[in-house]
Amino acid sequence: MRYVIKGRNIELTEGLKAAVYEKIGKLEKYFNQNTEVNVTLSVEKGRQKIEVTIPVRGTIIRSEQVSSDMYVSIDLVEEIIERQLKKYKSKITDKNQARENFTKEYMDQEFEEDEAVKIIRTKKFAVKPMDPEEACIQMELLGHGFYVFSNAETGEVNVVYKRKGNTYGLIEPEI
C-alpha cells in the first residue's frame, strides 16, 4: 500500500508515522500494493483525530476516530476498517472492477456477515428547486442535520449538511 500522511495542527513525528505504518499496515493483507491510503492526523480542541480514506474503484472505505490520545485513535481506526472490510466484503467487491484493489487471499477468504443493512423507514417528498442558502434555511426550520434538494442553478440533486461550529457543507454530484 502507498501511504499519504498529512497533519493538521500537529507535527508529524517519526513515532506517529511509525504507529500509522504499523497499525494501518495490518490492512495490507487485504489490499494490493498499488492501493493508496490517505491518512490525516489532526488536533482540535485537545481531541486527537485520525481520518483514513482508502479509495477503491466503485467505493470508498473510510473511518474517522477521535480520542484524547493519537495512538489510541490510530488503534481504533484500524480495528474499524478491518471490521468494515469483513462485514461488507461481498458488497464492496460485487462490482468486478473493485476486485483488482484487493489481494487474492482476501477475495478467497469467507467472513461471516453480521447483520444486513435494514432500511426500516422510507420517506418521499417533493424536491423543490432552490439555491443552497435557501436549502440551509429549510434544513434549520425542520431541525434536521442535512437536507436534500434540487439545485436551481444546476438542476442536480444536492445535499446541504450542518457542520461543527455552526457552518454548513454542500455535497454536489461529480459526474
Side-chain angles (χ1 to χ4, degrees):
M1 293 191 322
R2 295 176 301 156
Y3 297 87
V4 178
I5 303 175
K6 300 175 196 162
R8 263 192 249 138
N9 301 328
I10 188 171
E11 181 184 339
L12 289 176
T13 64
E14 290 305 314
L16 282 174
K17 288 180 184 177
V20 168
Y21 292 134
E22 178 187 340
K23 278 299 187 176
I24 307 301
K26 290 180 181 180
L27 301 172
E28 286 185 1
K29 62 186 173 192
Y30 301 112
F31 298 98
N32 68 34
Q33 69 267 19
N34 294 328
T35 304
E36 187 173 280
V37 179
N38 298 300
V39 179
T40 304
L41 306 173
S42 61
V43 176
E44 299 169 1
K45 298 179 184 172
R47 299 175 352 164
Q48 312 285 318
K49 179 171 146 184
I50 180 171
E51 300 171 54
V52 176
T53 306
I54 307 169
V56 294
R57 278 202 191 162
T59 192
I60 293 176
I61 299 163
R62 184 180 187 286
S63 182
E64 175 180 306
Q65 292 298 312
V66 178
S67 73
S68 58
D69 182 350
M70 185 60 78
Y71 294 97
V72 172
S73 296
I74 294 169
D75 288 346
L76 291 172
V77 82
E78 181 269 330
E79 292 170 11
I80 299 295
I81 290 177
E82 189 163 27
R83 197 173 320 131
Q84 287 175 350
L85 287 169
K86 289 177 179 177
K87 184 174 182 180
Y88 297 113
K89 176 189 173 214
S90 62
K91 290 167 183 59
I92 61 177
T93 59
D94 274 348
K95 300 173 180 148
N96 284 336
Q97 70 267 24
R99 293 179 170 270
E100 68 189 39
N101 292 99
F102 299 99
T103 62
K104 182 178 178 347
E105 293 79 19
Y106 171 63
M107 296 306 299
D108 293 342
Q109 195 171 359
E110 292 295 322
F111 298 109
E112 283 186 36
E113 285 198 32
D114 291 346
E115 297 177 19
V117 175
K118 295 177 185 166
I119 298 173
I120 59 169
R121 185 174 179 195
T122 301
K123 281 187 171 183
K124 292 185 178 190
F125 61 96
V127 180
K128 179 182 137 191
M130 59 180 72
D131 60 38
E133 291 76 18
E134 187 179 351
C136 289
I137 293 168
Q138 190 66 39
M139 174 183 63
E140 289 294 337
L141 290 171
L142 293 170
H144 291 176
F146 68 94
Y147 188 77
V148 180
F149 68 102
S150 174
N151 191 318
E153 293 177 14
T154 63
E156 296 175 330
V157 174
N158 290 182
V159 176
V160 290
Y161 59 96
K162 193 165 193 153
R163 297 175 46 94
K164 293 176 186 162
N166 289 327
T167 59
Y168 300 96
L170 174 66
I171 299 175
E172 299 176 301
E174 184 175 68
I175 299 172

